[in-house]
Amino acid sequence: MEFILKNRKKENFTIISNTFLNDPNLSLGAVALGSKLLSKPSDWVIKPPALCKELKLGREKMARLIKELEENSYLYKSSNNTIFAKKGEQKIFYYISDCKESIEEKKSEDIAEQLNSQLPFSNDIPTTENGDTIFPTTENPLHTNKEFNKNINKQKKTKLTLHKAMDEVLDSNTKNNLLQKAPDITLEEFVSLYKKMQSEFDAGFCSNLNAGLILAASGRWNFRAKTKSTQAEKDRRVLKSRVEYYADYFKIGSCKPEEILLKFEQESIKCDPILIKEFSERLKKELGI
């Protein structure tokens, strides 16, 4: 006997991965929102304010669900190439997929574009006879090779590799010097190093980005600009969101408080144990345990 009655129609339907639908790290609200978005046409622009009206959700609730999808790698917020957006135009664009690999590929594409447009391409950094960079003692303004960036943007987008990333944004001397200082550097480490160095440059702590990269790769740079949040901060945001979700669920559901607490702890097992304990106590208070 069938209890799940399948739709036999062959049109006007959406195929969604069971991996996404059954992901234990996603709340029912996040799965519902994700499924709603995945049913839209591929060129449909995701606008949270409009979604709030359509789904009759508050802005805070919508923000929590979007953050939950983003933290579980099903949604990606991109502000790439929107620096010149006119007043009133959308500055952040959202991408969603039921496949985490697709989101990662989109992130890689954005990283490549950011490196193309933001990293300076300079041929005039002086070097010694053995190839080491001579670090400037006075301000050495960097410039962007527009023709180079134009040609790169015409290339077919492929999965980013370390040497491709370096070749797109560094001159050969800087690239060779960086690889000499950090021969085992990975793509992720290079991108992270650049972003941190870009923050130093933007904050005025570094007058020459290319030279700063070499110093940082050598372990001779003391970063002073703010960096991305730590894993503990990310865990704290995830746990806070789950406590709020389960507290709301308890008010409208029929599950026992102990069952909800157990579900919360099972879903949060990958987070820091100390933080799990802290937020479990918060949830207990909300559940009246």
Side-chain angles (χ1 to χ4, degrees):
M1 180 178 294
E2 292 185 352
F3 294 97
I4 308 297
L5 306 180
K6 303 288 187 178
N7 190 334
R8 309 299 182 186
K9 292 183 178 181
K10 296 184 178 180
E11 58 183 22
N12 195 27
F13 65 92
T14 301
I15 298 176
I16 300 178
S17 168
N18 285 331
T19 302
F20 168 75
L21 295 174
N22 298 314
D23 191 326
N25 295 316
L26 292 179
S27 66
L28 181 60
V31 172
L33 176 61
S35 299
K36 182 74 173 180
L37 294 175
L38 290 168
S39 71
K40 301 290 186 181
S42 59
D43 59 351
W44 194 82
V45 180
I46 300 174
K47 297 182 178 180
L51 278 173
C52 287
K53 292 182 180 179
E54 179 182 348
L55 303 179
K56 296 179 174 59
L57 290 177
R59 286 183 294 179
E60 291 185 2
K61 181 69 173 180
M62 178 63 67
R64 287 206 304 270
L65 294 178
I66 286 177
K67 180 182 290 186
E68 186 177 344
L69 289 168
E70 183 181 12
E71 289 173 342
N72 286 279
S73 300
Y74 291 108
L75 183 140
Y76 171 50
K77 291 194 301 184
S78 172
S79 57
N80 193 27
N81 295 332
T82 59
I83 190 171
F84 299 112
K86 297 178 181 178
K87 185 176 181 180
E89 290 185 354
Q90 187 163 343
K91 294 181 174 59
I92 297 178
F93 292 87
Y94 300 79
Y95 299 85
I96 189 167
S97 174
D98 56 353
C99 175
K100 293 185 178 182
E101 289 74 15
S102 296
I103 294 296
E104 291 305 316
E105 288 179 6
K106 177 58 186 172
K107 287 182 180 179
S108 294
E109 290 178 3
D110 260 17
I111 289 172
E113 291 180 7
Q114 288 170 6
L115 289 172
N116 289 342
S117 61
Q118 296 177 17
L119 265 178
F121 182 78
S122 176
N123 288 315
D124 55 357
I125 293 182
T127 58
T128 61
E129 292 182 357
N130 61 7
D132 287 335
T133 300
I134 300 175
F135 300 109
T137 55
T138 59
E139 184 176 357
N140 182 13
L142 300 169
H143 63 273
T144 300
N145 188 321
K146 296 182 179 179
E147 187 63 31
F148 173 82
N149 286 333
K150 182 178 179 181
N151 291 335
I152 287 298
N153 290 332
K154 289 181 179 180
Q155 294 180 9
K156 182 179 180 180
K157 292 180 180 178
T158 58
K159 191 171 182 179
L160 195 65
T161 64
L162 174 62
H163 286 280
K164 176 177 171 58
M166 286 186 170
D167 288 340
E168 289 177 354
V169 297
L170 301 178
D171 61 89
S172 59
N173 286 332
T174 303
K175 175 185 175 182
N176 291 336
N177 289 335
L178 193 150
L179 290 174
Q180 286 178 9
K181 303 299 182 182
D184 298 324
I185 193 171
T186 64
L187 170 62
E188 292 74 17
E189 290 169 341
F190 172 67
V191 172
S192 175
L193 186 67
Y194 161 68
K195 288 184 176 180
K196 292 170 68 176
M197 208 64 231
Q198 180 70 58
S199 297
E200 297 286 289
F201 183 75
D202 292 341
F205 297 128
C206 171
S207 61
N208 187 299
L209 186 52
N210 283 0
L213 283 169
I214 305 301
L215 284 171
S218 307
R220 294 189 289 154
W221 187 271
N222 181 27
F223 288 98
R224 287 166 285 181
K226 292 182 179 180
T227 56
K228 285 190 174 182
S229 59
T230 63
Q231 184 61 45
E233 291 173 332
K234 292 179 181 179
D235 286 349
R236 184 175 290 277
R237 290 197 299 269
V238 170
L239 292 170
K240 182 177 181 294
S241 176
R242 285 180 183 163
V243 166
E244 293 171 348
Y245 166 75
Y246 278 112
D248 291 341
Y249 181 75
F250 174 65
K251 295 175 183 178
I252 63 174
S254 58
C255 291
K256 295 180 179 180
E258 292 77 11
E259 294 177 347
I260 292 179
L261 180 62
L262 178 61
K263 179 70 172 175
F264 167 80
E265 292 176 342
Q266 288 176 339
E267 287 190 0
S268 306
I269 195 170
K270 293 182 180 180
C271 296
D272 186 297
I274 296 177
L275 291 177
I276 293 176
K277 184 177 180 180
E278 175 187 336
F279 282 89
S280 291
E281 292 300 321
R282 293 192 188 185
L283 183 58
K284 286 180 181 179
K285 291 181 181 180
E286 295 287 343
L287 300 176
I289 299 177

